[in-house]
Amino acid sequence: HFQCLIGHLWLQIVAVCFLLKQQLQLIMNSLFVTKLSVAEVVSIFQKVYDICGDGTMLREHMEKLLVRLGGNASVIDDFLKERSGCGHNSMAGPTINYADFVEWAFQKGLHLFHGLRGSTAKHQGSMQLDMLAKASSHIYDDAAMSATLPSVVFARFKENLQLGVATSPEDQQAVADGMFKWARKLGATSFAHWFSPNRGGGGALGGQCGSLKYDLFADLVWRSDSVIKPFEEAFPADRLFVGETDGSSFPNGGLRVTHAAAAFTTWDRGSPPFVHDDVLYIPCCFITHLGTSIDAKTPLLRSSDAVNRQALRLLKAMGKAPKATACYNYLGWEQEFFVVPAALHRARPDLVNCGRTLIGRLPTMHQQSELHYFAPVPLRVQELMTKIQEKMLLVGNPMTVKHNEVAPGQHEMCPIFSISNASADSNVFFMQVAREEAAKLGLVVLFHEKPFKGINGSGKHCNWSVGTDTGINFFHPGKTADSLEIYVAGIACLAYGLRKHNELVRCAVAHAGNDHRLGAQEAPPAIISLYPGPKFEAHVDSIIAGGPLTGLNIEKKMIDPGSRNTMAVPAGVEDRNRTASFPHCGNRFEFRGVGSSQNCAMPVAICNVVFASGCAALAGLLEGGMSLRDAVAKMFKENREVIFTGNGYSKEWPAEAVKRGLPNLTTTPSAARTFNTDRAKALFKELGIFEAEEVDARAELMFEDYCTIVSTEALTLIKMVDTGILPACAKDLASFAGAPFLVGDRLETYKAIKVENDLLKELVATHQNGSLEAEAFFLCETVKPQMEKVRSLVDKAEELMNAEYYPFPTYEALVYSHHT
């Protein structure tokens, strides 16, 4: 009876809305279930709203339906009254906007329905859509595009994207119209071209958030003959695809100046727009008036094109994968971060200005026993991570993993992998959402690589792979002889690129924040090497000695836990090496050196560049007539030194790396000076990544970013000592006036703080001389060691000082006080 009643009322609504027969059948099929939850009813109503298009339903049918569902039809009057009181007079009249009504109902806890699955109080949780039910509802992906565009327009758009040709003006407008209607249904009132300037790393607040300005969905009514023309809701196509702004105010390495400042944003058609709050975000590249790149995304897209060209060229030369028409590169990132209370964060000038603590002693219990790793997440942090998860799901980015990391106060979240450009965008958005949601809960997320001295820092491991549109993965051995040969050839290409262009890979993760992390026991060393696994290393030596490409045993081993309650575990062919900078992980390589505050785009772009260079080299040998076996053997022999499967944390490895001719660029300045060599410029030019001036500009920006970060840290430390530490020292000494025999080392320590801090002031005052490169080396080799001297004394003072006098929140308070 209930089903028939619902069906009868539904048909009345359908008759009013003039639904198409085919669409009606799909909706009707979803109605006939044994029991309908409120969530299901709301979902069905929303489908009707979407199909109706005009956003209206007759009020009388709404009232009847509410009554039949055990609710009170008077809530419609409450809804209209409330909206009218807020100025929403458009809600008055015989019809209502059902999308607004559904939103209002959610805000009221859906108390208007009672008779579905028990009382509202008892079943409050079941009456709301969970995060998975709302997944991908706010991203304009292929599904949304195909539902809102004519099929021919959608097909042409996808074809143009794959071929790399422009979307026609007519199709541009069709896409803009479809996207506009879709975004408005989600409540978007503005749009923004969203891009990633070259801001480097470092971890201070705002460092790696995307840049954007908000433009209202409005335009003048140009057809009007009024002198003062009215405006209307609008989204012209040119505003979707292209934007213009001032390029000289962003980091640009001299590519823009005030009197020649024009720069443009252009939509990355391979990264879907999405709605966040009331804004439509449009992922964009950022280029100058001369076409030079001044952002992180453009080199990634150019490198993706290079991989596509050179990988397809290689497959053709190998006589493999004849049906492949495209090669894509993929990224899955692992984001580590710390969470601290916002009130304590504001009381630490170093965290506010630098993103890391410049002074501070560890609590007696920190990470000695790894008690924090994979432990239950503290409730406040769990709430934060769930909120982040919900927001990311809305825009089609499932954060499938969340857990505690090794250090207290440290956590990690990871999504499913995706195409690299869209995945890199999702990481930038993740950092924005994490900060926004943390602020609502009185927390702050720290993305700096080393917020706290003495405990693990944070990275952003980038899991990277390359594969064809037919399913072939260059980094997975597969099950056939062909796939195994492609796998071996792919690793040979990567070894070539890492050996020939080793410094570029190091530069991809070089910035002031990461210098504190690389080489520590939670991160790979600054030496870039390739870890394909010991078995594969032996296979490489076999190939060099004349063996076949397909002689590798790729069968997984079974590990017996030794209990009848458990099943054997299928293990990978190779073990896992966390000390390697570039380890193989079954079907991908993990670039472990990427810092937690970085944008993924540039590190992945360099991965693409070195792999494309290897593909080009191997293809050239094959096109010259060499056999595949001999060509791969030649590649491995000439680049054997870069393959290392030992302990990257050992004391012996740096010395061994020197013997192998591998650079050990331990600081950002030493790495940055290698970025714009003639060899690097030739590589970038050959692959279509950068012109020479773009390479020089990025080298300059690396030095500039380093100088800005370290000088800011030095000035912040000086101020914290002068205005906080030294006055506290004076109070502490004064408290011993009646018992001078208890002073101990205090007087000597406190005097030394003053002396060393004054010396730091002198160094900072004289460092701004010469080139950016010279300044960077001075800061690195002279100022930073002096900062460490000041810090060691201040940390000793914290140990000696009366806790009441210490002027800043302690490490213990920062990492533990919110764990309740």
Side-chain angles (χ1 to χ4, degrees), residues 370-407:
E370 287 79 33
L371 296 176
H372 191 65
Y373 194 46
F374 276 39
V377 178
L379 293 181
R380 287 181 69 190
V381 181
Q382 172 74 335
E383 182 180 1
L384 168 62
M385 295 168 83
T386 300
K387 293 290 186 183
I388 296 171
Q389 208 170 28
E390 290 175 354
K391 292 286 188 180
M392 296 300 290
L393 270 173
L394 283 177
V395 298
N397 293 305
M399 305 302 299
T400 53
V401 176
K402 54 183 179 179
H403 63 85
N404 278 0
E405 260 297 336
V406 173

Side-chain angles (χ1 to χ4, degrees), residues 254-544:
L255 295 175
R256 293 283 79 190
V257 290
T258 307
H259 66 279
F264 300 90
T265 52
T266 175
W267 175 27
D268 169 13
R269 295 175 295 173
S271 184
F274 57 91
V275 170
H276 177 53
D277 294 334
D278 61 349
V279 180
L280 172 67
Y281 282 61
I282 303 167
C284 287
C285 295
F286 190 40
I287 57 175
T288 71
H289 188 73
L290 302 176
T292 49
S293 163
I294 51 174
D295 68 337
K297 166 167 277 198
T298 301
L300 175 57
L301 295 182
R302 292 173 179 173
S303 72
S304 297
D305 290 344
V307 164
N308 180 58
R309 291 191 303 269
Q310 299 303 332
L312 288 177
R313 174 190 171 194
L314 174 59
L315 289 173
K316 181 179 179 180
M318 292 173 65
K320 311 287 187 185
K323 295 182 179 179
T325 62
C327 274
Y328 303 107
N329 60 100
Y330 301 93
L331 165 66
W333 42 269
E334 304 170 33
Q335 178 70 65
E336 295 174 340
F337 54 90
F338 282 81
V339 176
V340 298
L344 301 185
H345 178 271
R346 288 191 295 270
R348 293 279 313 209
D350 45 5
L351 285 178
V352 171
N353 290 284
C354 310
R356 75 178 183 101
T357 55
L358 302 175
I359 54 176
R361 292 181 59 82
L362 287 173
T364 52
M365 172 57 74
H366 42 92
Q367 66 181 47
Q368 299 99 319
S369 301
E370 287 79 33
L371 296 176
H372 191 65
Y373 194 46
F374 276 39
V377 178
L379 293 181
R380 287 181 69 190
V381 181
Q382 172 74 335
E383 182 180 1
L384 168 62
M385 295 168 83
T386 300
K387 293 290 186 183
I388 296 171
Q389 208 170 28
E390 290 175 354
K391 292 286 188 180
M392 296 300 290
L393 270 173
L394 283 177
V395 298
N397 293 305
M399 305 302 299
T400 53
V401 176
K402 54 183 179 179
H403 63 85
N404 278 0
E405 260 297 336
V406 173
Q410 187 185 34
H411 313 276
E412 179 178 304
M413 295 185 75
C414 317
I416 298 175
F417 75 95
S418 180
I419 196 89
S420 290
N421 54 317
S423 185
D425 285 341
S426 74
N427 180 252
V428 176
F429 183 61
F430 172 90
M431 291 190 281
Q432 174 182 332
V433 168
R435 285 172 173 150
E436 291 173 351
E437 295 303 316
K440 298 174 186 177
L441 298 173
L443 300 170
V444 171
V445 174
L446 303 178
F447 288 113
H448 195 284
E449 286 71 21
K450 201 74 171 178
F452 302 101
K453 184 179 180 180
I455 55 177
N456 278 9
S458 298
K460 186 176 340 215
H461 306 155
C462 288
N463 295 275
W464 164 79
S465 62
V466 177
T468 70
D469 56 348
T470 57
I472 294 172
N473 184 343
F474 274 91
F475 303 143
H476 186 265
K479 298 180 180 180
T480 67
D482 273 1
S483 64
L484 184 55
E485 287 187 343
I486 292 172
Y487 170 62
V488 173
I491 296 183
C493 293
L494 186 56
Y496 173 95
L498 289 177
R499 181 67 184 92
K500 301 297 184 186
H501 309 291
N502 194 279
E503 296 89 346
L504 292 183
V505 182
R506 172 65 180 92
C507 287
V509 294
H511 59 88
N514 221 18
D515 280 1
H516 297 283
R517 170 179 167 266
L518 294 179
Q521 293 300 300
E522 79 274 7
I527 305 163
I528 303 298
S529 63
L530 179 65
Y531 175 88
K535 290 181 180 178
F536 194 91
E537 184 179 33
H539 184 55
V540 168
D541 291 335
S542 172
I543 293 172
I544 294 173

Side-chain angles (χ1 to χ4, degrees), residues 5 8-9 12 58-71 73 76:
L5 173 62
H8 176 70
L9 291 171
Q12 294 183 60
L58 288 183
R59 176 175 171 178
E60 60 180 285
H61 292 288
M62 283 293 303
E63 291 176 346
K64 288 179 183 178
L65 189 54
L66 287 172
V67 171
R68 294 299 184 186
L69 292 177
I76 294 182

Side-chain angles (χ1 to χ4, degrees), residues 215-230:
D215 290 295
L216 191 67
F217 279 130
D219 198 10
L220 295 178
V221 181
W222 297 103
R223 61 185 176 277
S224 170
D225 57 5
S226 298
V227 175
I228 300 179
K229 296 187 184 299

Side-chain angles (χ1 to χ4, degrees), residues 166-234:
T167 302
S168 69
E170 296 77 18
D171 284 357
Q172 287 184 36
Q173 191 57 59
V175 173
D177 290 343
M179 192 184 300
F180 173 58
K181 292 176 182 178
W182 170 83
R184 287 292 288 126
K185 284 184 180 180
L186 293 173
T189 56
S190 300
F191 68 94
H193 278 205
W194 184 58
F195 58 100
S196 296
N198 284 322
R199 287 183 172 143
L205 289 180
Q208 278 306 316
C209 287
S211 293
L212 72 168
K213 64 180 178 68
Y214 306 98
D215 290 295
L216 191 67
F217 279 130
D219 198 10
L220 295 178
V221 181
W222 297 103
R223 61 185 176 277
S224 170
D225 57 5
S226 298
V227 175
I228 300 179
K229 296 187 184 299
F231 66 89
E232 61 183 350
E233 290 189 16

